[in-house]
Amino acid sequence: MRYCAMSKSLPLVDVELACLRAGARNVSSKPRFGQVFCDLEPEQAEKLSKQPNVVVKEIRGTSL
């Protein structure tokens, strides 16, 4: 599943590292928006969401 991770208090590189430590694949940082997009299994997303100051949201779909 595709997720977005972000933090108001951590540098984006730290959020990206937290994603990688949780086992994320296909990681893509978007500095302009302060977000990291990645593929995670639900268990990995739960582990990442327990990191202090990191918010994780599932991306359910897109609309054009």
Side-chain angles (χ1 to χ4, degrees), residues 5-61:
M6 63 197 103
S7 176
K8 289 186 177 181
S9 61
L10 295 175
L12 193 59
V13 68
D14 289 347
V15 177
E16 187 174 355
L17 286 173
C19 291
L20 292 170
R21 287 187 191 119
R25 297 176 318 278
N26 195 19
V27 179
S28 173
S29 295
K30 302 298 181 196
R32 181 173 181 183
F33 301 108
Q35 299 173 333
V36 176
F37 295 91
C38 59
D39 294 329
L40 295 164
E41 296 298 324
E43 299 81 20
Q44 295 169 320
E46 184 177 339
K47 177 182 174 182
L48 179 60
S49 68
K50 292 179 181 178
Q51 296 295 312
N53 303 313
V54 176
V55 177
V56 180
K57 295 185 179 187
E58 181 182 350
I59 299 174
R60 296 188 182 256

